[in-house]
Amino acid sequence: MNHTSCDSGAQKPLQPLEVPSAIARIKSKIVVLSGKGGVGKSTVAANLAAGLALEGLKTGLLDVDVHGPSIPRIMGLAGIKPDMAGDTILPVEWNWNLKVVSMGFFLPNPDEPVIWRGPVKGGVIKQFLHQVAWGDLDCLVVDCPPGTGDEPLSVMQLLGPDAVALVVTSPQDVAIDDVRRSVAFCRELGNPVLGIVENLSGFHCHQCGTVHDIFKSGGGEKLAEASGVPFLGRIPIDTEVGKAADQGEAYLAVKGTSPAALAFRQVVLAAVAHTEAASATLRAGA
């Protein structure tokens, strides 16, 4: 069986979808991807968005993980329901610079599973981009579920070729094998890769101050080098990062001087540089 196409002939190239007018006023779009689950992708996405907002950039955070939306908990917004203006969704504001939308805001019962097929999920993602009052944003960060399936594909097609990917991996070879496919996925669609982040890269011990390589390290950097994309750094395991996410205080991971905070900071600065470049390009074309 051909697992990439139901057609017995050659696979047809994917066509870009119509770009929603609601996102035409967004200067840069960063899609957080990973071919592997459990690598801390949502934590990276949340802290990236929070970090951009704390840098003074008008930022949006869109969680399109339909089956396991974790952004509301990480951002301390669980149980909040967005307001509506007619058919338009008004994003939930985390602070004055960050607007958040997640499937988790619309679930009537958070304990019930979402059992949807691809077309329905694609329709919801389209609604989140077409019918959300994002307004003028410097950057939209999109948190996708793991893999290269319906959600990442819909997001990339809707956002268009100027959307860039931030690919998250953990150090193990089993993760690197899957994440390599995410890089290939972006190239197949024609979307640039902003860089690769190696998360869970060693354990930072607060008592002795050293980093212990529990899952080894260096896999993300080797993948970046082999793929010809930037390596944005290693984020060590830090119990305070997980604790902050459970308590809905994602901003803690981009403040302070801990190794994890400094690593997050490097990712944020790379995103700031990309956003400034995208803004300059838009001004030049105006």
Side-chain angles (χ1 to χ4, degrees), residues 75-209:
M75 303 303 293
L77 301 173
I80 295 179
K81 301 298 181 184
D83 292 326
M84 302 288 296
D87 293 331
T88 302
I89 301 169
L90 303 181
V92 175
E93 294 196 7
W94 182 76
N95 69 11
W96 58 92
N97 279 331
L98 180 55
K99 299 176 180 179
V100 183
V101 170
S102 170
M103 185 63 202
F105 294 150
F106 300 92
L107 298 177
N109 184 346
D111 295 329
E112 293 183 0
V114 176
I115 307 174
W116 289 348
R117 295 190 183 273
V120 179
K121 293 188 284 186
V124 170
I125 293 171
K126 188 174 182 180
Q127 184 179 17
F128 282 165
L129 292 173
H130 272 282
Q131 294 177 241
V132 171
W134 291 112
D136 294 313
L137 293 181
D138 293 308
C139 185
L140 175 67
V141 177
V142 184
D143 179 30
C144 288
T148 56
D150 294 308
E151 295 92 327
L153 178 58
S154 295
V155 166
M156 284 303 198
Q157 288 186 284
L158 285 164
L159 291 181
D162 61 336
V164 301
L166 178 68
V167 181
V168 182
T169 187
S170 55
Q172 307 99 306
D173 291 342
V174 68
I176 297 298
D177 289 344
D178 289 338
V179 172
R180 185 178 290 109
R181 300 184 187 98
S182 296
V183 177
F185 168 80
C186 295
R187 287 182 170 154
E188 184 74 19
L189 297 180
N191 292 91
V193 176
L194 178 64
I196 292 176
V197 175
E198 183 178 293
N199 193 32
L200 307 176
S201 184
F203 168 69
H204 174 235
C205 177
H206 290 280
Q207 292 183 338
C208 67

Side-chain angles (χ1 to χ4, degrees), residues 200-226:
L200 307 176
S201 184
F203 168 69
H204 174 235
C205 177
H206 290 280
Q207 292 183 338
C208 67
T210 58
V211 176
H212 305 277
D213 291 330
I214 298 176
F215 300 128
K216 72 179 187 180
S217 67
E221 186 170 8
K222 291 177 182 177
L223 175 60
E225 182 178 356

